[in-house]
Amino acid sequence: MIDIVEEVPAHAGAREALLDLSFGEARLARTSERLREGLLPVFAFVALDATGKLVGTVRLWSVADRSGCQSLLLGPLAVDPGCRGNRVGDRLMRHALNQATMHGHGSVILVGDLPYYARFGFAAGLLDKVVLPGPVDQDRFLGLELVRGHLAELNGVVAAAGSLDPAVAPAPLSNGFSIPKSA
């Protein structure tokens, strides 16, 4: 039995270990990761097995173009190798997309494998006017409209549009400047 639940801070260590296992530490250098850095996700879900072990994760992040048109950036999606083939990723994806739809979001974008994500309605070629701030294989830059025509409104470079994570956000100083919390 697998339960899909909202991610809580206690899941952070297991989530990061699963992401390292699935993608390696090189994942931290990817363009999508740069967009997520220092922000809180809009949605974050994990899959827990019957023993309570975290066996899957998916997150959605807010991004926007210069005109303020917003979309959600999906990723990463990861499933424990021992659970692959049990539709854990499918359940996580469907749950995340359902929540995005129920909360009125217009679209979801991601960088991933079309053969996998097409089953959820993602397609290539919908983001020809959209640019991520870094290198991206355009064949892997996929979109899904939750509201018809929404991706046609997204144009130009998209940037992070989410809330800062207070655990990693710079601490403001009285003079208006900020310093990283690690300093």
Side-chain angles (χ1 to χ4, degrees):
M1 182 176 97
I2 301 291
D3 288 321
I4 307 297
V5 300
E6 284 191 41
E7 181 185 309
V8 297
H11 295 134
R15 182 196 67 242
E16 289 301 310
L18 175 59
L19 293 175
D20 284 344
L21 177 66
S22 298
F23 302 109
E25 291 186 26
R27 70 183 171 88
L28 300 174
R30 293 183 179 161
T31 298
S32 293
E33 185 64 30
R34 298 283 66 79
L35 280 169
R36 300 186 285 255
E37 195 170 56
L39 299 175
L40 292 171
V42 176
F43 299 104
F45 303 106
V46 296
L48 304 175
D49 70 9
T51 68
K53 178 184 174 193
L54 190 145
V55 296
T57 179
V58 67
R59 289 173 148 199
L60 294 149
W61 310 80
S62 184
V63 293
D65 66 14
R66 289 184 189 175
S67 69
C69 183
Q70 292 193 343
S71 185
L72 293 173
L73 173 69
L74 188 137
L77 168 68
V79 175
D80 185 282
C83 292
R84 292 186 185 148
N86 294 333
R87 305 188 61 88
V88 174
D90 286 7
R91 290 190 54 211
L92 280 164
M93 281 295 298
R94 293 187 195 290
H95 184 79
L97 295 174
N98 234 2
Q99 291 299 309
T101 301
M102 288 180 8
H103 286 87
H105 293 275
S107 61
V108 179
I109 63 175
L110 64 84
V111 179
D113 297 324
L114 181 58
Y116 180 81
Y117 290 103
R119 73 180 92 181
F120 306 108
F122 285 88
L126 298 175
L127 301 167
D128 293 338
K129 300 185 307 182
V130 181
V131 178
L132 291 180
V136 173
D137 179 350
Q138 285 302 118
D139 293 335
R140 295 173 43 85
F141 193 24
L142 311 176
L144 168 67
E145 291 186 321
L146 303 174
V147 173
R148 189 175 182 164
H150 191 267
L151 287 174
E153 297 173 22
L154 201 61
N155 189 9
V157 177
V158 295
S163 302
L164 290 176
D165 183 345
V168 295
L173 299 174
S174 60
N175 63 2
F177 293 96
S178 62
I179 56 171
K181 287 192 180 259
S182 60

